């Protein structure tokens, strides 16, 4: 028998709200003053916007409930979808990758903006739902795959090739997505090195994760290898905070939108091998409280590491009891440029 819980679900949802700007985020954009879209679309050509009634109706049409194992939290506020699209500067003719379209609320806005959308959806039921919903347009394609395991480069190159003549094809694609929080790091690691495919990536992430990726400072416990990775491949920007009340079901944390402007290979820091560079960075952070001369001694001698650290500007300290000079540097004290210079000094390829 079909569930009759929909009215109760609708009544139990809190009003969609936008939190006031907080003191710690004064430098960021707020949902209370959304940026202007550069693309004007007449109301007559737009599809109906999604809200929590439309979202629940779509889920109930397939007898579906959000699956915790897939990290499914559906966006209920179409204004946020509009701002996601605006943050990526989506224009007529763009090719956009969307990860986890769900009921298609963000997809709807992307198509209205004139984009061609390739969606990757792991849930077979939701893939069927959006395939049916957008069956009337030739600017949408959904693949029922696990994004973490799919060959996204091959899919994107195929889509770019299919978009008409060379003069009409977009040079680069974009990513705009409300992704499950539990795969955010995997998504970032997979997409950011693809500056030859994507020009920018706009993701809805857990707020704490967003702040850590964009604003982590040296000499703090939040400074990690992922910060080196993100800044190696992109210029990240925190756009705005999204209160948890805008999702169904409501998560335990707030979200935020981050825009990653991808670098081209010629703009990457100059290292002889990205593989050996990130291997060294990961080794450095594996012993978080260890001095680098110890955590990296599998690469070269402690003396060579100390000399390299002094060359990048790390100062030596003296042990008074032994009158021994050492460069007492820990990984959280080094910038991206410091790690690049250290790698180029001690790693031999």
């Amino acid at each position: 028998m079909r569930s009759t819980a929909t009215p109760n679900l609708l009544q139990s949802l809190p009003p969609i709200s936008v939190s006031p700007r907080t003191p710690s985020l004064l430098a960021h954009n707020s949902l209370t003053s959304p940026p202007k879209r550069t693309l004007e679309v007449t109301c007559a050509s737009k599809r109906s916007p999604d809200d929590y009634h439309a979202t629940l109706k779509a889920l109930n049409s397939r007898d579906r409930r959000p699956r915790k194992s897939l990290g499914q939290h559906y966006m209920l506020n179409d204004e946020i979808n509009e701002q996601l699209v605006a943050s990526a500067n989506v224009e007529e003719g763009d090719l956009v990758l969307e990860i986890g379209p769900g009921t298609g609320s963000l997809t709807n806005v992307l198509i209205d903006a004139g984009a061609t959308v390739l969606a990757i959806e792991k849930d077979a039921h939701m893939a069927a739902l959006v395939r049916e919903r957008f069956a009337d347009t030739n600017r949408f394609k959904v693949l029922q795959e696990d994004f973490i395991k799919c060959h996204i480069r091959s899919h994107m190159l195929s889509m770019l090739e299919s978009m008409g003549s060379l003069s009409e094809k977009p040079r680069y694609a974009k990513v705009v997505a409300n992704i499950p929080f539990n795969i955010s790091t995997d998504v970032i690691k997979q997409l950011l090195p693809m500056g030859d495919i994507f020009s920018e990536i706009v993701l809805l992430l857990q707020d704490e994760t967003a702040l850590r990726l964009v604003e982590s400072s040296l000499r703090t416990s939040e400074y990690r290898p992922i910060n080196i990775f993100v800044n190696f491949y992109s210029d990240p920007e925190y756009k705005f905070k999204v209160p948890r009340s805008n999702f169904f079901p409501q998560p335990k944390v707030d979200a935020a939108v981050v825009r990653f402007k991808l670098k081209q290979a010629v703009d990457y820091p100059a290292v002889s091998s990205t593989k050996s560079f990130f291997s060294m960075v990961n080794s450095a952070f594996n012993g978080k409280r260890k001095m680098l001369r110890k955590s990296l001694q599998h690469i070269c001698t402690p003396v060579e590491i100390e000399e390299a650290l002094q060359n990048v500007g790390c100062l030596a300290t003296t042990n008074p009891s032994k009158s021994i000079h050492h460069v007492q540097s820990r990984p959280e004290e080094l910038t991206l440029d410091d790690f690049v210079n250290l790698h180029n000094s001690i790693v031999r390829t």
Side-chain angles (χ1 to χ4, degrees):
M1 179 180 295
R2 183 179 295 274
S3 171
T4 59
T6 302
N8 292 332
L9 283 173
L10 292 176
Q11 293 169 10
S12 66
L13 287 171
I16 296 173
S17 64
V18 174
S19 67
R21 186 177 299 194
T22 59
S24 62
L25 297 179
L26 287 175
H28 304 314
N29 294 333
S30 168
L31 284 175
T32 57
S33 55
K36 293 182 179 180
R37 295 278 302 279
T38 57
L39 178 67
E40 295 293 334
V41 181
T42 60
C43 293
S45 65
K46 295 186 71 172
R47 299 165 183 268
S48 299
D50 287 51
D51 56 16
Y52 60 82
H53 294 278
T55 299
L56 290 177
K57 182 178 179 181
L59 291 171
N60 289 335
S61 72
R62 300 265 169 178
D63 290 322
R64 304 301 296 164
R65 290 293 181 271
R67 295 174 60 186
K68 186 175 181 180
S69 63
L70 295 180
Q72 291 175 333
H73 295 277
Y74 298 105
M75 174 55 62
L76 303 176
N77 188 339
D78 216 46
E79 179 187 356
I80 295 172
N81 287 328
E82 292 278 352
Q83 291 199 63
L84 269 167
V85 173
S87 294
N89 302 306
V90 174
E91 299 177 343
E92 186 83 30
D94 281 346
L95 172 60
V96 176
L97 170 67
E98 183 184 5
I99 304 162
T103 60
S105 64
L106 176 58
T107 316
N108 197 39
V109 179
L110 287 166
I111 292 174
D112 275 341
T116 294
V117 179
L118 172 63
I120 308 294
E121 175 59 67
K122 184 176 181 178
D123 188 326
H125 296 279
M126 304 313 293
L129 187 154
V130 290
R131 185 178 292 113
E132 179 180 313
R133 176 176 180 178
F134 300 107
D136 63 341
T137 178
N138 61 0
R139 290 190 288 112
F140 176 74
K141 180 178 181 180
V142 60
L143 300 176
Q144 195 263 300
E145 295 186 36
D146 181 345
F147 177 79
I148 304 303
K149 299 177 181 178
C150 77
H151 300 288
I152 193 60
R153 177 177 292 276
S154 175
H155 291 323
M156 296 306 301
L157 290 174
S158 177
M159 286 291 291
L160 284 166
E161 186 63 32
S162 68
M163 292 182 68
S165 66
L166 287 173
S167 61
E168 298 172 340
K169 284 190 292 188
R171 176 65 182 88
Y172 298 104
K174 298 175 180 178
V175 181
V176 184
N178 169 16
I179 62 175
F181 294 158
N182 59 357
I183 65 168
S184 58
T185 300
D186 291 328
V187 169
I188 287 168
K189 286 183 176 180
Q190 185 165 342
L191 291 177
L192 262 57
M194 299 179 65
D196 59 324
I197 301 290
F198 301 108
S199 59
E200 49 199 309
I201 296 171
V202 174
L203 300 176
L204 190 59
L205 306 170
Q206 183 176 331
D207 186 51
E208 181 182 343
T209 300
L211 288 169
R212 187 168 64 242
L213 290 176
V214 177
E215 297 187 345
S216 287
S217 301
L218 293 174
R219 300 178 180 84
T220 68
S221 61
E222 298 302 316
Y223 190 63
R224 302 173 185 177
I226 190 65
N227 297 104
I228 304 298
F229 182 91
V230 166
N231 287 284
F232 188 99
Y233 287 113
S234 73
D235 294 314
E237 178 187 4
Y238 186 111
K239 299 299 289 186
F240 56 89
K241 184 176 181 178
V242 180
R244 66 195 74 180
S245 58
N246 290 284
F247 297 90
F248 173 74
Q250 182 172 303
K252 297 179 180 180
V253 294
D254 293 325
V257 172
V258 175
R259 175 178 177 262
F260 303 89
K261 183 174 175 56
L262 299 197
K263 298 176 183 177
Q264 299 299 300
V266 295
D267 299 318
Y268 295 162
V271 295
S272 55
S273 164
T274 55
K275 182 178 180 180
S276 66
F277 173 74
F278 286 112
S279 176
M280 184 202 74
V281 170
N282 289 330
S283 295
F285 279 90
N286 279 342
K288 191 67 183 285
R289 299 305 301 167
K290 287 184 179 179
M291 299 302 173
L292 289 170
R293 60 189 175 83
K294 290 186 177 180
S295 59
L296 297 180
Q297 61 185 350
H298 64 287
I299 297 176
C300 60
T301 67
V303 172
E304 291 174 309
I305 294 172
E306 288 191 3
E307 290 178 353
L309 287 169
Q310 285 182 310
N311 289 336
V312 302
C314 297
L315 300 177
T317 59
T318 302
N319 184 329
S321 63
K322 298 182 180 180
S323 298
I324 298 176
H325 296 274
H326 284 308
V327 180
Q328 306 280 35
S329 292
R330 293 186 170 93
E332 62 269 27
E333 299 173 356
L334 272 61
T335 65
L336 170 60
D337 288 340
D338 291 337
F339 272 113
V340 169
N341 292 330
L342 179 61
H343 171 271
N344 293 342
S345 296
I346 69 174
V347 176
R348 300 171 181 83
T349 57

